[in-house]
Amino acid sequence: MRSANTNFALAHAGLGKALMRQGQYPEAMQEYRYAENQDGYSTAFGEYRYVWMRSHFEWLGLGIIGC
C-alpha cells in the first residue's frame, strides 16, 4: 500500500505506537502493516500472542493433558 504523501508511513507508525501503549495490539498490527514497519508489527504480534496465550492457557493445558 503506497501513497504519494511522504508522511503516510510515519503517521501510521505513530498510530501503531500509540495503540501499543493502550494495549490494543490487533489494531496496532494493522497500523504497522499500513506503515510497512516489520519491527513494529512483529512486536505488536508478540504482545498479542502473549496476551492470547495467557487468556487461553487453561484450555491449552487441558488439551495437552487430554492427548
Side-chain angles (χ1 to χ4, degrees):
M1 174 173 276
R2 297 278 181 196
S3 174
N5 187 347
T6 57
N7 295 322
F8 180 79
L10 184 60
H12 281 288
L15 287 171
K17 189 173 184 178
L19 289 166
M20 284 280 292
R21 288 186 185 141
Q22 295 175 357
Q24 298 177 359
Y25 304 118
E27 293 85 357
M29 288 166 43
Q30 187 65 43
E31 292 298 332
Y32 282 129
R33 182 181 294 259
Y34 290 151
E36 298 178 359
N37 183 332
Q38 291 179 348
D39 292 335
Y41 183 90
S42 179
T43 301
F45 179 75
E47 291 295 327
Y48 177 69
R49 182 180 55 208
Y50 176 76
V51 169
W52 187 90
M53 291 290 283
R54 287 193 50 104
S55 66
H56 293 87
F57 180 75
E58 182 179 321
W59 291 109
L60 293 171
L62 290 173
I64 291 173
I65 292 172
C67 288

